[in-house]
């Protein structure tokens, strides 16, 4: 383990997944998975259905506890921190992983649908706000400033995802495509360094998918966030990602730049089957 | 809305007329031996009330959300802070002038109603905001009531000391209840909280040496600055009427409890409505909407749940202190599951999370049985029918929760 840690402090990568294994009963969902995510890149995680992509995501974002292995995220000072350890202990849990700088969206959208669009973005900034009860009840200047700042950030992100006019709509009443964008904006409001998008293009039409691709590139380009994305839409994946990791049956079968991965015989056989099988 | 005022007036008058036809024969004619005695005052009053309510209902913005588009409408935010404060103050002053009417009956039912308002506000935090179905809320009410009675008996705690002490104790009990139910949702949570409420009642019932068991405990009447409101001083203070050289009246005690309670209710409403607009209140609501999404945003769901339980419980504890102080006596019989159910009904009927709704529902559900005293055999029946009807017509409660509206930038 020590050698890996040393390796991490030499290399510039933001996230290193090491020997990650997850089992559900007798089923091995992930088997000694290794990959890295370089800062400022868009990394795609692809694979056939049931390959373990979402399981890997849930481990990275702290929703599942890995049985073995480690997930190192470089903290703001450049020191690697193990996300698996953050989930342990009485005060540990998913929220600590999120606070370490990993935000995510969900395959089936999880907005606070009975709250307004703007409130969704305010909730996301919870950790960054003045949460002093006394200060809030008496509306002290510090509290007002903190709330005004939060509102400004929320409006900024609404503008970024083209939802300015929907600020006072209930989130649940938005059209599907807008809900997807709002979920990304909400994740960005936590000021993450790594954002994990779980099938962001599912259910979008081609025009919306194109806009989504632009948005993801803007997240990386303008907002300096590292992006990890699970996606089935191959044209989107190949178009935007710098690095692709292919999973099949819980194991990494290929990783590299999109062009190389596309030609990899193992990937082709995973997706299309091999001639021998027929 | 103004242009078809005439139409609305006509509709209201029609409603009043129908009421007259419906109620006239039932309530307007009385059999006196073989003679009829017509009393047209009562049906006329009914009809006038219906007409007025029908007219008013058009101007009360029941729905804060447009049903078709989900667009929020600006709420009271569109009025300035000054006029909102003035409005709240005016309501408070009108309510505070109730003791001047000099009716002990009116005062005592108002006190009971306000105690339920307070309970409703407390449970609203847990059920309405945080979405944690709590069927044992009466337990915290009991903690507050017994906190005052036992605190006075063993520690010599006064009324004003008991208020914060009971709020803290009930809050602590709320947190204690919170720990085992952290991982529970919905039905399971409801059953565990139901058990918790019963445990508190059974402990109070069976711990004879400490709580007096089914015999209950006496709670001293409240005092204020050393003044007592009884005919003669029993707690070492001076009777209120002697200080001011007034004639003794039993109304003094009730008026004092009423005014103190009204102030606490006012402060609680202010506090809870502030909490809603603070990060913690938003986090409660987010937790109700989606716990998993909350965790993905770095919100500590444990702390948020516990804070909702304990803040709700401490408001319930405050209500308990007033209950004990007003009754002068507490026993476990007052803290049965029926009370929890009634408070839950208040929150659900009023509209989960809506403060105005909860206050109105609490007043409605406590005053209605008083108005129905003549039909006392059917009280619970009428009560039940009213609940069913409200649930059919307004499944989200009388008044839907109002969401904060954020005006457009620069507007």
């Amino acid at each position: 383990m020590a050698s890996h840690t040393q390796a991490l402090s030499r290399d510039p990568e933001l996230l290193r997944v090491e020997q990650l294994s997850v089992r559900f009963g007798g089923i091995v969902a992930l088997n000694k998975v290794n990959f890295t995510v370089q800062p400022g890149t868009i990394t795609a995680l692809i694979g056939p259905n049931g390959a373990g992509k979402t399981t890997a995501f849930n481990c990275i974002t702290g929703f599942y506890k890995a049985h073995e292995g480690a997930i190192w995220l470089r903290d703001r000072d450049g020191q690697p921190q193990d996300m698996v350890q953050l989930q342990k202990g009485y005060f540990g849990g998913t929220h600590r992983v999120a606070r370490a700088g990993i935000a995510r969206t969900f395959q089936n959208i999880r907005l606070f649908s009975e709250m307004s669009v703007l409130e969704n973005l305010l909730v996301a900034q919870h950790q960054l706000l003045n949460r002093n009860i006394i200060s809030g009840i008496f509306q002290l200047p510090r509290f007002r400033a903190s709330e005004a700042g939060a509102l400004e950030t929320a409006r900024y992100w609404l503008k970024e995802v083209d939802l300015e006019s929907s600020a006072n709509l209930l989130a649940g009443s938005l059209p599907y495509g807008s809900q997807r964008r709002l979920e990304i904006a909400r994740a960005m409001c936590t000021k993450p360094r790594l954002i994990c998008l779980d099938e962001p293009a599912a259910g979008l039409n081609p025009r919306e998918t194109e806009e989504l691709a632009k948005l993801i590139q803007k997240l990386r380009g303008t907002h300096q966030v590292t992006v990890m994305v699970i996606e089935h839409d191959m044209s989107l994946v190949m178009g935007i990602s710098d690095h692709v990791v292919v999973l099949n049956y819980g194991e990494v079968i290929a990783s590299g730049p999109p062009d190389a991965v596309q030609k990899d015989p193992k990937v082709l056989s995973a997706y299309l089957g091999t001639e021998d099988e027929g | 809305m103004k242009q078809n005022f005439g139409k609305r007036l006509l509709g209201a008058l029609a409603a009043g007329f129908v009421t007259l036809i419906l109620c006239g024969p039932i309530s307007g004619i009385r059999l006196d031996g073989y003679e009829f005695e017509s009393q047209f005052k009562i049906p006329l009053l009914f009809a006038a009330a219906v007409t007025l309510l029908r007219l008013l209902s058009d101007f009360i913005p029941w729905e804060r959300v447009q049903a078709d588009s989900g667009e929020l409408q600006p709420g009271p935010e569109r009025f300035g802070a000054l006029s909102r404060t003035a409005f709240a103050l005016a309501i408070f002053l009108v309510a505070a002038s109730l003791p001047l009417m000099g009716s002990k009956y009116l005062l005592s039912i108002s006190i009971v109603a306000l105690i339920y308002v307070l309970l409703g506000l407390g449970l609203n935090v847990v059920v309405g905001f945080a979405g944690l179905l709590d069927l044992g809320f009466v337990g915290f009410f009991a903690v507050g009531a017994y906190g005052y009675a036992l605190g006075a008996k063993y520690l010599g705690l006064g009324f004003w000391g008991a208020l914060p002490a009971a709020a803290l104790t009930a809050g602590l009990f709320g947190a204690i209840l919170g720990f085992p139910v952290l991982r529970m949702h919905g039905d399971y949570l409801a059953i565990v909280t139901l058990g918790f409420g019963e445990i508190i009642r059974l402990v109070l019932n069976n711990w004879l040496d400490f709580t007096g068991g089914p015999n209950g405990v006496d709670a001293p009447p409240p005092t204020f600055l050393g003044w007592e409101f009884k005919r003669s001083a029993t707690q070492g203070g001076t009777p209120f009427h002697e200080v001011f050289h007034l004639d003794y009246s039993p109304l003094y005690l009730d008026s004092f409890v009423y005014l103190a309670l009204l102030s606490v209710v006012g402060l609680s409403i202010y506090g809870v409505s502030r909490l809603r607009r603070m990060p913690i209140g938003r986090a409660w609501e987010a937790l109700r909407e989606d716990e998993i999404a909350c965790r993905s945003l770095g919100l500590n769901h444990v702390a948020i749940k516990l804070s909702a339980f304990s803040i709700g419980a401490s408001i319930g504890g405050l209500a308990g202190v007033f209950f004990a102080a007003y009754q002068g006596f507490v026993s476990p019989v007052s803290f049965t599951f029926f009370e929890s159910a009634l408070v839950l009904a208040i929150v659900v009927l009023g509209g989960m999370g809506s403060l105005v709704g909860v206050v109105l529902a609490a007043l409605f559900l406590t005053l209605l049985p008083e108005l129905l005293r003549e039909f006392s055999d059917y009280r619970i029946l009428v009560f039940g029918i009213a609940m069913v009807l409200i649930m059919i017509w307004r499944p989200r409660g009388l008044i839907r929760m109002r969401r904060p509206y954020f005006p457009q930038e620069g507007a």
Side-chain angles (χ1 to χ4, degrees):
Chain A
M1 197 68 81
S3 62
H4 287 299
T5 317
Q6 277 168 8
L8 183 65
S9 50
R10 257 201 326 274
D11 297 338
E13 71 257 324
L14 179 71
L15 183 86
R16 173 188 279 273
V17 174
E18 256 175 19
Q19 301 289 317
L20 188 69
S21 297
V22 177
R23 292 179 297 271
F24 297 117
I27 299 166
V28 181
L30 289 179
N31 186 17
K32 297 197 164 72
V33 167
N34 290 298
F35 62 85
T36 58
V37 174
Q38 303 297 321
T41 60
I42 298 174
T43 302
L45 201 55
I46 63 170
N49 286 328
K53 306 182 296 288
T54 298
T55 306
F57 248 44
N58 281 340
C59 285
I60 294 169
T61 54
F63 279 88
Y64 290 165
K65 289 191 179 101
H67 292 103
E68 281 158 40
I71 300 165
W72 299 99
L73 179 81
R74 209 177 274 281
D75 66 13
R76 288 184 170 82
D77 305 323
Q79 293 304 313
Q81 195 182 8
D82 188 0
M83 294 295 113
V84 178
Q85 296 304 321
L86 279 185
Q87 296 173 49
K88 292 181 179 162
Y90 200 78
F91 296 101
T94 314
H95 59 278
R96 291 191 60 198
V97 176
R99 287 177 200 177
I102 300 181
R104 74 168 294 177
T105 65
F106 296 87
Q107 195 171 340
N108 39 355
I109 305 172
R110 287 181 175 275
L111 287 172
F112 307 125
S113 37
E114 283 288 313
M115 299 172 81
S116 76
V117 168
L118 213 52
E119 278 179 297
N120 268 272
L121 301 186
L122 292 179
V123 170
Q125 299 175 58
H126 189 81
Q127 288 309 121
L128 312 165
L129 298 181
N130 179 343
R131 277 165 293 142
N132 187 325
I133 297 253
I134 304 294
S135 181
I137 290 213
F138 296 107
Q139 303 191 59
L140 300 183
R142 243 178 315 159
F143 173 79
R144 283 169 192 259
S146 145
E147 288 291 292
L151 213 53
E152 205 170 295
T153 311
R155 286 198 192 285
Y156 171 76
W157 275 105
L158 280 187
K159 209 171 282 176
E160 289 294 287
V161 299
D162 267 333
L163 287 171
E164 285 166 280
S165 56
S166 313
N168 282 306
L169 246 59
L170 291 188
S173 68
L174 287 180
Y176 193 81
S178 308
Q179 292 198 11
R180 285 253 177 240
R181 294 207 303 279
L182 177 59
E183 210 188 12
I184 294 175
R186 187 181 69 179
M188 287 306 297
C189 276
T190 62
K191 299 212 163 54
R193 284 170 304 138
L194 174 67
I195 182 168
C196 300
L197 308 173
D198 196 348
E199 298 200 22
L204 299 187
N205 63 33
R207 193 178 53 81
E208 285 173 325
T209 308
E210 214 168 284
E211 283 171 12
L212 178 77
K214 277 186 203 142
L215 177 62
I216 294 175
Q217 276 166 334
K218 194 159 76 174
L219 293 184
R220 188 259 308 262
T222 318
H223 301 292
Q224 314 274 311
V225 180
T226 309
V227 181
M228 265 194 85
V229 56
I230 293 181
E231 190 45 69
H232 281 299
D233 185 331
M234 282 306 141
S235 60
L236 177 71
V237 169
M238 296 308 165
I240 61 170
S241 47
D242 308 303
H243 188 81
V244 178
V245 177
V246 189
L247 280 175
N248 195 21
Y249 294 115
E251 288 178 24
V252 177
I253 55 170
S255 69
D259 306 338
V261 165
Q262 257 173 319
K263 289 176 199 131
D264 193 305
K266 275 194 207 155
V267 177
L268 290 176
S269 71
Y271 270 93
L272 304 171
T274 48
E275 280 174 31
D276 304 347
E277 277 176 23
Chain B
M1 195 171 273
K2 261 190 186 127
Q3 51 269 40
N4 44 22
F5 179 76
K7 206 170 157 191
R8 282 164 197 277
L9 187 68
L10 211 65
L13 283 175
F17 185 66
V18 170
T19 316
L20 204 59
I21 295 174
L22 287 177
C23 296
I26 303 172
S27 55
I29 298 171
R30 219 170 89 187
L31 274 181
D32 184 17
Y34 294 107
E35 304 284 313
F36 288 113
E37 194 184 309
S38 50
Q39 291 181 321
F40 275 105
K41 227 171 95 188
I42 296 170
L44 275 178
L45 270 177
F46 268 130
V50 167
T51 312
L52 202 67
L53 282 178
R54 181 76 187 73
L55 210 56
L56 276 180
S57 76
D58 285 339
F59 294 98
I60 296 174
W62 295 102
E63 295 288 347
R64 298 295 190 160
V65 178
Q66 262 178 19
D68 46 347
S69 69
E71 172 99 47
L72 296 182
Q73 303 299 309
E77 292 93 343
R78 67 204 138 129
F79 304 112
L82 201 67
S83 52
R84 265 183 294 156
T85 317
F87 184 67
L89 214 60
I91 290 185
F92 182 82
L93 286 179
V94 168
S97 61
L98 188 77
L100 297 178
M101 292 179 63
S103 155
K104 191 169 163 64
Y105 171 69
L106 203 61
L107 264 184
S108 57
I109 61 171
S110 307
I111 288 172
V112 174
L114 282 184
I115 286 175
Y116 279 99
V117 169
L118 210 48
L119 283 172
L121 286 174
L123 190 61
N124 190 30
V125 170
V126 185
V127 178
F129 291 166
L132 305 162
L133 184 52
D134 186 349
L135 291 181
F137 195 66
V138 77
F140 308 122
F141 186 42
V143 167
Y146 268 89
Y148 176 49
L150 296 176
K153 186 176 169 191
Y154 293 110
L155 306 172
L157 203 62
F159 177 70
W160 295 100
L163 277 182
L168 280 178
T169 319
L172 193 68
F173 270 77
I176 291 173
L177 165 67
F179 268 106
V181 300
L182 281 175
R183 290 172 198 285
M184 294 178 185
H185 302 271
D187 308 350
Y188 303 100
L189 177 70
I191 290 171
V192 174
T193 53
L194 173 67
F196 188 80
E198 287 299 290
I199 287 171
I200 289 187
R201 188 176 65 83
L202 289 174
V203 166
L204 294 175
N205 209 8
N206 291 304
W207 196 356
L208 272 175
D209 305 336
F210 185 60
T211 66
N215 301 327
V217 201
D218 283 328
T223 60
F224 181 58
L225 300 174
W227 304 333
E228 294 185 24
F229 298 90
K230 288 280 180 192
R231 188 180 290 280
S232 54
T234 49
Q235 299 174 67
T238 349
F240 170 76
H241 56 282
E242 282 176 17
V243 177
F244 291 93
H245 305 291
L246 299 165
D247 291 330
Y248 172 72
S249 153
L251 278 177
Y252 293 152
L253 178 64
D254 288 17
S255 308
F256 166 71
V257 172
Y258 175 78
L259 289 178
L261 181 53
L262 189 67
S263 321
V264 169
V265 168
L267 289 178
S268 301
I269 291 178
Y270 175 75
V272 173
S273 68
R274 279 303 317 153
L275 279 174
R276 262 207 63 199
R277 282 142 193 279
M278 283 158 53
I280 183 164
R282 286 197 295 259
W284 288 339
E285 289 193 61
L287 194 73
R288 177 193 66 203
E289 294 296 315
D290 197 322
E291 185 178 325
I292 288 181
C294 267
R295 283 158 59 194
S296 82
L297 297 172
L299 275 68
N300 184 350
H301 63 293
V302 173
I304 295 168
K305 268 189 191 175
L306 289 185
S307 66
F309 267 122
S310 49
I311 287 181
S314 51
I315 297 178
L318 285 179
V321 174
F322 278 99
F323 179 75
Y326 176 63
Q327 301 273 323
F329 171 76
V330 284
S331 81
V333 200
S334 314
F335 307 108
T336 55
F337 171 66
F338 182 76
E339 299 296 315
S340 291
L342 184 62
V343 181
L344 189 66
I346 288 173
V347 174
V348 175
L349 288 188
M352 301 239 259
S354 158
L355 293 186
V356 182
V358 166
V359 172
L360 287 182
L363 294 177
F364 179 68
L365 286 192
T366 45
L367 299 183
L368 185 73
E370 290 300 325
L371 299 176
L372 290 175
R373 221 162 246 294
E374 287 177 43
F375 313 92
S376 54
D377 292 348
Y378 308 104
R379 246 157 76 178
I380 299 296
L381 180 69
V382 172
F383 188 84
I385 292 176
M387 288 221 270
V388 171
L389 290 182
I390 291 181
M391 281 297 105
I392 291 172
W393 281 324
R394 309 198 71 83
R396 283 170 182 278
L398 277 176
I399 296 182
R400 187 170 165 164
M401 183 174 187
R402 188 161 45 75
R403 303 228 59 86
Y405 174 85
F406 299 94
Q408 284 294 315
E409 250 172 346

